[in-house]
Amino acid sequence: MNTEELLKLKQRALEELQAAGAPAALEELRVKYLGRRGLLAEIMQGVKNADPAERPLLGRVANEFKNELGRRVDQRRRELQQTDVKIAPCDWTLPGRWPRQGTRHPISIVIEEVTAIFAAMGFTVADGPDMETAYYNFDALNTPDDHPARDPQDTFWLADGRLLRTQTSPVQIRVMETQPPPVRIIAPGRVYRRDTTDATHSANFHQVEGLYVDRGVSMADLKNDITCFARRMMGADVKVRFRPHFFPFTEPSVEYDFSCHVCGGRGCRVCKNSGWIEISGAGLVHPQVFAKVNYDYEQYTGYAFGLGVERIAMIKYGIHDIRALYANDLRFLEQIRP
Ligand code: DAH
């Protein structure tokens, strides 16, 4: 092969290179020319046997051919890779598909917040069973046999004589039975009542019970601690109101209200235009209750309170219907974040 033929071959190789539209065709071309048994290997062999006068020139041209083609093949390969990306049937600018993330239920959010606030005030968390005995739910809490709360119309009685607890207060008794004073606990949990469901009632709802027993605990401690809690939970401008009331297990007893968070106390649908939302009851532990758990009521006093979890959730998040908390509609639940 002479120089001229070699140059023609090079020209053809470069044209074929331009025509190679896919990585496979390019590889085929590379093997054909540059492979170990390819055309150029053969030509190099031929150069050795060529006329000594032509050999240097032929050698140089063959070398240039080999190097240039090698370079161009690499370059073309990179080009083809880029084109690959451009023509791929995928729009890389589309947002990805996110797996749906769960959120905590508003009831859980409130219980966790209440727990954190009281934990910072030195309270630990106690627990008791949902299926309770009449002793813990009523007797030990100084509730007389003929108290209306025991009525089957109000309480879910179980076939074995037990009941679904109507309040978290029985946890007070269970705790005091197992430890001497001082006691400082909260007990979050489910409670059950035979209420007809409507916008503000549910047959199954949640309370957080609180109990603090020590020497010299007074009504002033109760008012202070509930008010501190209210401010941390609802914001510094919340007002707290205590109204005289009756509970068998406290004396004196109160019901307490928070100023309505939804309207700032001016009056709205949620607070039925009163500006206040009833949260629950509280009071100083009745000496009869201390007697049941063998606490010395001459030495110790204590306060106790209940706290309606749904009430707090409703005013904190502006929920107008308690049923929204149980309907399990994710479009609603996902809007409520801590
Ligand atoms: N257990 C009461 C209820 O469910 C609320 C309550 C009132 C709890 C006074 C207390 C208390 O601890 O001292 O209505």
Side-chain angles (χ1 to χ4, degrees):
M1 186 181 277
N2 62 31
T3 314
E4 206 176 315
E5 283 165 342
L6 194 53
L7 285 171
K8 263 196 197 127
L9 184 66
K10 179 177 171 187
Q11 186 61 33
R12 206 165 59 232
L14 292 177
E15 279 165 18
E16 281 173 35
L17 178 85
Q18 275 316 310
L26 186 65
E27 179 60 13
E28 209 175 290
L29 177 133
R30 190 191 66 78
V31 172
K32 175 175 162 193
Y33 287 97
L34 301 168
R36 232 164 10 102
R37 299 203 191 135
L39 282 174
L40 272 157
E42 204 179 297
I43 288 163
M44 290 304 196
Q45 205 57 48
V47 171
K48 281 189 199 147
N49 306 326
D51 180 343
E54 262 201 88
R55 209 183 290 158
L57 180 62
L58 205 53
R60 207 176 67 226
V61 173
N63 256 325
E64 275 172 15
F65 183 179
K66 190 176 150 196
N67 291 340
E68 186 174 349
L69 188 62
R71 252 195 340 270
R72 297 278 206 104
V73 165
D74 285 346
Q75 189 191 340
R76 183 76 185 135
R77 188 180 295 122
R78 279 195 298 274
E79 277 171 22
L80 285 177
Q81 273 164 2
Q82 278 166 14
T83 340
D84 256 5
V85 171
K86 266 186 231 129
I87 62 172
C90 180
D91 180 351
W92 302 96
T93 64
L94 283 177
R97 274 190 220 118
W98 289 83
R100 192 175 194 138
Q101 266 203 330
T103 53
R104 279 184 295 155
H105 193 279
I107 297 290
S108 303
I109 294 173
V110 169
I111 288 179
E112 280 168 30
E113 272 180 42
V114 171
T115 305
I117 293 169
F118 280 105
M121 290 159 74
F123 287 73
T124 52
V125 175
D127 197 10
D130 286 21
M131 288 187 287
E132 235 341 332
T133 64
Y135 177 77
Y136 285 105
N137 197 80
F138 294 126
D139 303 330
L141 288 164
N142 196 35
T143 311
D145 284 342
D146 57 357
H147 195 278
R150 297 190 188 229
D151 195 313
Q153 296 226 338
D154 294 316
T155 300
F156 290 107
W157 289 91
L158 302 174
D160 63 1
R162 287 184 299 167
L163 49 80
L164 295 180
R165 67 179 178 189
T166 60
Q167 49 190 357
T168 42
S169 306
V171 184
Q172 293 184 29
I173 306 296
R174 291 184 174 274
V175 169
M176 288 191 285
E177 272 182 348
T178 51
Q179 74 178 80
V183 168
R184 207 195 287 231
I185 56 104
I186 55 163
R190 286 172 193 278
V191 299
Y192 307 82
R193 289 185 198 173
R194 296 191 70 155
D195 277 334
T196 309
T197 304
D198 63 22
T200 52
H201 292 88
S202 162
N204 167 215
F205 57 101
H206 300 75
Q207 292 183 330
V208 178
E209 193 76 12
L211 175 68
Y212 173 32
V213 182
D214 204 344
R215 291 173 204 273
V217 175
S218 73
M219 208 61 189
D221 295 309
L222 174 67
K223 292 182 80 170
N224 174 71
D225 294 356
I226 292 281
T227 307
C228 274
F229 162 73
R231 290 189 183 143
R232 291 198 191 156
M233 190 76 197
M234 308 305 303
D237 51 353
V238 69
K239 290 191 190 57
V240 184
R241 169 172 94 165
F242 298 83
R243 291 176 284 109
H245 200 75
F246 173 81
F247 293 101
F249 36 91
T250 42
E251 181 59 35
S253 301
V254 294
E255 272 188 340
Y256 64 97
D257 309 328
F258 291 175
S259 55
C260 180
H261 180 75
V262 179
C263 61
R266 281 183 304 278
C268 68
R269 232 175 72 193
V270 176
C271 61
K272 300 194 178 82
N273 279 319
S274 72
W276 297 95
I277 303 272
E278 183 188 320
I279 302 298
S280 186
L284 293 187
V285 181
H286 198 293
Q288 286 299 334
V289 173
F290 279 155
K292 291 276 193 215
V293 295
N294 293 319
Y295 273 22
D296 182 352
Y297 54 76
E298 299 289 342
Q299 289 200 51
Y300 292 99
T301 51
Y303 71 61
F305 62 86
L307 194 149
V309 174
E310 279 78 356
R311 290 273 166 80
I312 297 212
M314 287 172 79
I315 53 175
K316 184 155 176 170
Y317 301 115
I319 301 165
H320 294 199
D321 193 323
I322 197 171
R323 289 168 290 199
L325 292 167
Y326 310 116
N328 289 332
D329 185 338
L330 292 181
R331 291 168 304 177
F332 163 75
L333 294 175
E334 282 177 346
Q335 292 177 47
I336 293 175
R337 302 290 170 111

